[in-house]
Amino acid sequence: GGGSLGNAEGDDGATGSTDTVTVGLAVPQSGVYAGLGEDMTQGFELYLEQADNKLSGYDIEVVSADTGEGPQTAIPAVSRLIQQEQADVVTGIVSSATALGLRDTFVQAEIPLIIANAGADDITAEPSPYIWRTSYTNSEVSGAIGKHVAEEVGDGSVYLIAADYAAGQEHVNGFKEQFEAAGGKVAGETFTPFGSTSDWQPYLSKIRSSGASAVFAFYAGSEAANFVQQYSTFGLAEEAQLYGNGFIVEGDVLQAQGEAALGIQTSLNYSPTIDSEVNNKFVEAYVAAYDEVPTVYAMQSYDAAAAIEAALEAADSVDGPGIAAALSEVGEFENSPRGSWSFNENHDPDQNYYLREVQEVDGKLSNVVLREIQD
Amino acid sequence: MSATNTLSGLTADQPGTTKLFNTGAPRPAFRLFVAVVILLILVALPFFLAPYPLSLAGRALAFGLLVVSVDLLTGVMGMPSLGQVAYFGAGAYTAGLVGIHLSSSGLVQLLIGTLAGAALALLTGAVAVRTAGIVFLMITLAIGELAHIGVDSLSVVGASNGLAGIPPVSVLPGGEPLTVPGYLYWWVLAVFVIGFCAAVILNRSPLGRSMRGVRDGELRLRALGQNTYSVKLIAYTIAGGVAGAAGTAWVAQTQFISPGDLGFDMAAFALLSVVLGGAGSLWGPVIGAGLVIFVRDWLGGYIEGRGTLLLGVVFVIAVYVLPRGVAGIKGRSLRRKSSDS
Amino acid sequence: MNAHQLLEVEDLAAGYAGSRVLDGVSLTVGSGEAVALLGRNGAGKTTLIETVMGMVTAMDGHVRIDGKDVTAKPPHVVSQAGVGIVPQGRRVFAPLTVEENLEIALRKRSGDWTIERVYDLMPRLRERRTNLGSQLSGGEQQMLAIGRALLGSPKLMLLDEPSDGLAPKVVEQVGEIILDLTDTGMAILIVEQNLHLAFTVSDRLAIMRKGEIVHESSVVDFRRDEQLAHSLLGVG
Amino acid sequence: MLAWFDANTATILNGLALGAVLFLIAVGLSLVFGTMDVLNLAHGAVSLMGAYVGVAMYGAAPTTGMFFLAMAIAAAVGFAAGGVLATMVSPVRNHLRQALLTLGMALIVAELLQEVFGPEVRSVPVPEFLSSTVSLMGNPYPVYRLAMVAAGIVVAVVLYIVLERTRAGAIVRATVADRAMVEAIGIRTKVVLALVFGGGAALAAVGGLLAAPILGAQPGLDDQILLLALVIVVIGGLGSLRGALLGALVVGQVQTIGVSVVNEFASFLLFAALAAVLLFRPQGLLPARKGAHV
Amino acid sequence: MTTTDTSILDIRDLTLSFGSLTAVDRVTLRVDEGARHALIGPNGAGKSTLFGVLAGRLRATSGQIFFNGQDVTALSEAERARNGLVRTFQHSSLFLGMSVLDNVGLAVERSTSQPKRPWPSRRRDRAVTDAAMTHLESVGLLSRPSALCGALSHGERRQVEVAMVLACEPRMVLFDEPTAGMSVAETNRFAEIVESLPRKVTVVVVEHDLDIVFRLAERVSVLAAGKLIADGTPEEIRTNDAVQEAYLGTSSNEALFGAAS
Ligand SMILES: Nc1ncnc2c1ncn2[C@@H]1O[C@H](COP(=O)(O)OP(=O)(O)OP(=O)(O)O)[C@@H](O)[C@H]1O
Ligand SMILES: Nc1ncnc2c1ncn2[C@@H]1O[C@H](COP(=O)(O)OP(=O)(O)OP(=O)(O)O)[C@@H](O)[C@H]1O
Ligand SMILES: [Mg+2]
Ligand SMILES: [Mg+2]
């Protein structure tokens, strides 16, 4: 019903009854990132189930949208959540391009967006009351391991390799900054075509001839799987220790890599092996519900639900501006599986990072936490 | 005949029966009437559609204009192209950049975007139109992909993250920005109508007839003394301009453009929309474009993650149910009528 | 005339999407008999030939080959029932060599015709055996099309303007070939614009106009009546 | 120069291996196009089916028997898929509508595969008896990739003999030129079509299976494979067996040596190579032989 | 009679080889302006190939072609056509997806070398239509101007082919077996058309229908195995032994009708 000639959108958005809050869940359900989308959906739903589908007394109606592989499919899907389904708050969003493309839309529509994965630095570079993030920024998550690598390689040098797209650049630059600040030397740097590289042998040859004693790599998804396998097949694993941020060995990718992944060290804001009471309970419940170990994607989405609950708690009015305003007052999240965190002034999480290593535990590969990384 | 069949590669063998001569056109008054009715319906959409479906309609129109440009090459000239996304992208990115840095006027953006599309088409077309059939298809694929990869690694336009922060368009320089969805839609519709009319005029012109001559027998056309290279290049440039105009409309609607918008998917869906609608007819492919957007973005939104599956099913069914595309439906009934008289 | 009918066409109707070209055509050709099918351009001769062959689908009526009903059957069934065709426009396989064109048409079980025999009949083909079909002159293509049809050792041959594009000398040869073939008991239905050839080889003729057969008689009778010929064919 | 070769032997060899497996996949596409005049856009999807056969059948590194069984099954699955596609495509004569049909099928198949095998990337292990490495210039090089080169050579030789030297091959080529006329000389073209299509698809599936240990198996791979195969077939010359072979070798080297030499332009290389070849030889490097009459 | 001044086409030592096969072998020939010239010869003699070279579709291996006093050997097919040298095709090559009228329309328009207008103009298009209709009328196809060429019978297509050549308003036409596939009535009509062409149009025709050859031609050249073996008046050719041997066979010219016993 209704036309589209009203003055501003959203003001006729009387959201039905006041005790129901509509949450838009925008995750990929098709395409290459569908696996991430599934994890995020599960994390979010687990939180709701544990809260009996009521957050701070409000009934929660979840409307999901398939964002597909990129902004082409994501933008109409998310527009639907805002305009058609009249979501009060939206979470999800895997791809940075999608987040950047939709940023203005959310600000104009005055609907808060809680990003539960996309990591581009630019999304929150200029904070908006409507844009929040429970995940990380690319440069931070990669920078976290910089100092550790510099210490490990000592006089040796490190080769940097990453997929050639915006995120790959941010990850590499983030790492390089921290690494060089800690006195590390870079042996060389290569960006490989994103989405169309399947054979890394030429690059591996280059790495070998550069004489690097370690490698920092940023890949995710299938590229991560193929890269790590070929890294081992061509014998580099024995010559140069492989570092990265967590995504190179996260989720399903790790099982696909198999033994080739053993020994890879990564930094991330989460690992299911974190030994805390909150996390153990989370992992247990997650395994019981879905018969698999939670991933960082599931955790970030779980925490997005937590953020929504906290905001509803603090909100004066349950609509876009109300929830957005409340989000800046939520304070510390003490009960997160990743450990305690809070939103910083950019609306990104102020959180701990962990140094993890791929080890075999009870016959299964797992990212075992070596230690918390201190700045 | 058999020999040419194998050599011609991809060609449309179900050309539309667009009449060139006013004398031969069946009931021009009736056609005009139908066109006016459809236009009125399109104009009236904002009065009863909510903002979201209306934004889809806007996207469908912009995409539809891209499809028209593909159809000019594929259906009218018999040269199936996957490269129009490059000129679409040229139009969209220039319009976006103009919007951010120069002027939020839609007219200015339309003008510059169209020129950008046409200019790029002229440059690349000079090479591409020397080929035909599947080789042309692959050259244009290469053009589209190179453009895609190009913007993907060009940081001034946001590289893979896309170009964000484009302000809403106004019609005239310094005018009121069109933030109301209905007004924005009308702007997109206006661009579409301009582009579509240009295509119709081209199709009925002597150049249009020569384009169909290229489709049905380029060698023969040359034997008649026509310079087919210039026919093809001019047509290619005009189609590039139409695609550029479509790009400006797209950016006006979405206020965002990313490399994926000129990716292989977009190129393939544009070409398939032409086939779905009936290559050679101009209005059929527009409906095909609408169908693709509707199925993927609208229906797909309701059945989670099955948009592409559904699209696949639609394609397969259409091949059998609509052997001449959407345009064939009307063509058939018209033919029956004219044979009665 | 032979009582044994190899081709029986009965009340046949056929055409193309939207238009009916043939309407109620009936025709028979007996074993050892050659029938000429004449008519002006667009009369429907090719359509009739192709409908018999199954290349155009019959809408109504019947086609029987040697007593077997093949109405609306696909061409390979009709071919296997013993029909060979030299189509209008020759339609030799352009990307195949002359020899390959003949090889694939050779039906193994029949001993009658061999590639060598075809070459003996048309030596020009032997000279150009390694040329591609697309590289042959028009006349050479016509010879190849005839040779190809013969290698199926058909009982009934459908010839659609076999003299089209042939030099007079070759037309004469073709005429002799056809006469030889009828002598062996083959039935022949021939569409021709070259009346010399048509009259030389055939016993009977049928004349089509606008999808119907408007006249049938023996060739001898027809040639006596110049008036009739003029009104039907515009000659005389 | 010699030193350069020494340093890059592994890369060149790798280009050969990649070329060989790409040839296996692309030749089916070329065959079906060249012989049936159908551009089968579901080719990548069929190839992905082959890869998933590996996923379904192999646990850890498969035994020799298991490996060959998987090949047979992939071939059978591919053949069946090709047969189905052939039947569906046979009443559709227009190239563009064939594209619509086969791409529609590709979307459906890909979606169903994702339904069954999940959206995540699945890796496929190298068979046990080929899992060792040999030493090449002092560095380890996987035997499996050498085996792929061998497989490519065998398939190329067999196909050449069948297509160019047998009556069956001639029938196939004639069917492209004029299907109705082939029918008219008594040959069931539907069967020919199904066999060729099935054969091409079987090769694609086996190629997908053999490539799986390198490319993996996951949604979206079908598009990549299809694009690569298209580029190869066009670079080499449509419908030509030798063309597919040469095209695959060129693309193999472009993807290895090329990207390592001009790394900054790695992502442009494939399509730049395509454009360059087509500019100078629009008919491809080794087009199918044909001749047009005056 | 054949002086350089009056000849519109002057072929010198023209040769074209396909690999080892010399399809046109050192042909030297002059055609006078306004001539009615026939070219005959056995199948595969090289007649169509010669036409191909003259029209510019094929490139001569050696030799020269002068048209209207100008060396056109290096000109493209389109340029020669614009100069007024037009051919028909042995295998008809029409624009099958376009209407009969549009086919002829394309030919009417051929004379301009400037790029085509991308917008229609009622007045000028009307002129094109009228011209096209006139030519259709002269070949007897007036009844179906809007039929698609793809839906015409073989013979009907040959008629369109002729209409298209006429529409080009050529100075010289090369007809390659124009009456092949035409019925007797249509063949007659074709002969009448040629006879009614203004004398400034030069006609060269390749034909196997000798009735047509002897009815139309004032001069006949005979090509065999790529070489010109005879050249003369129809009477001379008819009685030439070499021609009999290579081409005519025993072809008796008995009357078709009334002669049956
Ligand atoms: N593919 C087609 N689609 C539609 N109509 C067709 C088609 N082929 C032929 N026709 C029409 O059918 C009629 C008969 O055509 P047909 O080819 O049978 O004539 P014909 O007697 O063989 O003529 P010709 O002597 O010129 O070869 C013609 O009017 C023609 O326009
Ligand atoms: N592209 C080609 N490649 C090789 N040989 C060719 C080619 N085109 C024609 N030929 C050969 O050249 C010779 C002359 O052919 P052409 O078509 O000129 O003969 P023609 O005199 O027109 O014969 P017809 O009267 O049968 O049409 C033939 O032997 C033919 O096989
Ligand atoms: Mg006919
Ligand atoms: Mg000829």
Side-chain angles (χ1 to χ4, degrees), chain B residues 139-156:
Chain B
I139 284 255
T140 52
L141 168 70
I143 292 172
E145 282 295 293
L146 290 174
H148 167 66
I149 300 167
V151 290
D152 198 65
S153 49
L154 208 60
S155 51
V156 290

Side-chain angles (χ1 to χ4, degrees), chain C residues 124 128 131 135-140 165, chain D residues 292-293, chain E residues 18 21 23 42-49 90 177 208:
Chain C
R124 181 79 189 162
R128 313 211 50 75
N131 271 58
Q135 296 170 335
L136 299 182
S137 83
E140 291 163 345
Chain D
H293 200 70
Chain E
F18 297 113
L21 176 89
N43 293 122
K47 306 179 293 295
S48 299
T49 308
Q90 181 169 4
E177 302 197 25
H208 289 303

Side-chain angles (χ1 to χ4, degrees), chain C residues 202-235:
Chain C
S202 33
D203 314 300
R204 277 194 301 134
L205 57 74
I207 295 179
M208 286 189 82
R209 178 193 281 166
K210 294 193 178 146
E212 285 173 59
I213 291 185
V214 292
H215 176 85
E216 251 190 294
S217 70
S218 78
V219 169
V220 179
D221 291 344
F222 186 74
R223 289 176 73 172
R224 282 207 194 93
D225 192 346
E226 205 165 322
Q227 213 59 47
L228 182 68
H230 184 78
S231 70
L232 289 172
L233 296 173
V235 292

Side-chain angles (χ1 to χ4, degrees), chain A residues 48-125:
Chain A
L48 285 187
E49 260 161 48
Q50 289 176 343
D52 271 339
N53 246 345
K54 262 191 178 349
L55 296 184
S56 169
Y58 295 96
D59 286 326
I60 302 298
E61 190 195 347
V62 178
V63 192
S64 56
D66 177 16
T67 55
E69 283 183 20
Q72 290 65 49
T73 41
I75 288 181
V78 178
S79 308
R80 179 172 70 87
L81 292 181
I82 300 176
Q83 296 173 342
Q84 182 91 352
E85 309 292 350
Q86 316 229 311
D88 299 298
V89 51
V90 174
T91 181
I93 310 288
V94 163
S95 120
S96 291
T98 304
L100 287 165
L102 284 165
R103 207 179 169 278
D104 295 347
T105 314
F106 278 97
V107 174
Q108 277 167 22
E110 300 184 340
I111 305 278
L113 167 66
I114 304 179
I115 297 166
N117 187 55
D121 298 2
D122 280 350
I123 301 172
T124 52

Side-chain angles (χ1 to χ4, degrees), chain A residues 13-343:
Chain A
T15 330
S17 64
T18 37
D19 41 6
T20 300
V21 175
T22 308
V23 179
L25 184 60
V27 294
Q29 293 163 338
S30 61
V32 289
Y33 303 117
L36 274 64
E38 197 178 300
D39 290 352
M40 291 167 82
T41 308
Q42 291 174 1
F44 195 82
E45 282 177 349
L46 181 65
Y47 194 95
L48 285 187
E49 260 161 48
Q50 289 176 343
D52 271 339
N53 246 345
K54 262 191 178 349
L55 296 184
S56 169
Y58 295 96
D59 286 326
I60 302 298
E61 190 195 347
V62 178
V63 192
S64 56
D66 177 16
T67 55
E69 283 183 20
Q72 290 65 49
T73 41
I75 288 181
V78 178
S79 308
R80 179 172 70 87
L81 292 181
I82 300 176
Q83 296 173 342
Q84 182 91 352
E85 309 292 350
Q86 316 229 311
D88 299 298
V89 51
V90 174
T91 181
I93 310 288
V94 163
S95 120
S96 291
T98 304
L100 287 165
L102 284 165
R103 207 179 169 278
D104 295 347
T105 314
F106 278 97
V107 174
Q108 277 167 22
E110 300 184 340
I111 305 278
L113 167 66
I114 304 179
I115 297 166
N117 187 55
D121 298 2
D122 280 350
I123 301 172
T124 52
E126 246 178 66
S128 148
Y130 293 98
I131 308 296
W132 301 80
R133 175 146 66 185
T134 63
S135 46
Y136 50 84
T137 62
N138 288 339
S139 49
E140 201 177 79
V141 70
S142 289
I145 203 176
K147 191 159 154 236
H148 168 72
V149 177
E151 283 161 6
E152 290 284 313
V153 295
D155 288 340
S157 57
V158 170
Y159 201 97
L160 314 178
I161 183 166
D164 191 6
Y165 68 120
Q169 315 267 2
E170 286 185 355
H171 282 290
V172 164
N173 291 339
F175 170 80
K176 202 157 66 174
E177 202 169 292
Q178 299 299 321
F179 173 68
E180 287 180 334
K185 277 201 304 282
V186 173
E189 183 176 300
T190 291
F191 290 94
T192 60
F194 176 51
S196 62
T197 304
S198 50
D199 189 11
W200 271 266
Q201 183 275 339
Y203 309 109
L204 297 177
S205 290
K206 270 185 131 168
I207 293 177
R208 174 171 278 140
S209 54
S210 78
S213 51
V215 171
F216 173 85
F218 167 73
Y219 287 108
S222 63
E223 289 197 320
N226 288 339
F227 174 77
V228 166
Q229 277 198 332
Q230 292 177 24
Y231 194 81
S232 148
T233 311
F234 283 94
L236 262 131
E238 286 134 45
E239 296 170 19
Q241 166 69 34
L242 184 57
Y243 298 98
N245 65 46
F247 301 105
I248 198 167
V249 286
E250 194 60 17
D252 304 321
V253 171
L254 186 57
Q255 305 315 320
Q257 289 159 338
E259 284 177 11
L262 281 176
I264 298 175
Q265 295 190 351
T266 59
S267 54
L268 199 63
N269 55 356
Y270 181 68
S271 162
T273 62
I274 295 173
D275 193 12
S276 72
E277 198 186 324
V278 180
N279 186 48
N280 288 342
K281 261 171 70 187
F282 170 66
V283 173
E284 201 175 299
Y286 194 93
V287 171
Y290 307 113
D291 200 25
E292 59 185 19
V293 179
T295 60
V296 64
Y297 313 113
M299 181 280 291
Q300 288 167 168
S301 196
Y302 183 83
D303 276 2
I308 292 173
E309 179 169 38
L312 290 177
E313 200 83 37
D316 300 332
S317 62
V318 187
D319 53 11
I323 296 173
L327 273 167
S328 46
E329 294 163 17
V330 293
E332 193 84 9
F333 291 92
E334 313 254 350
N335 272 332
S336 166
R338 72 177 98 172
S340 156
W341 66 280
S342 58
F343 286 117

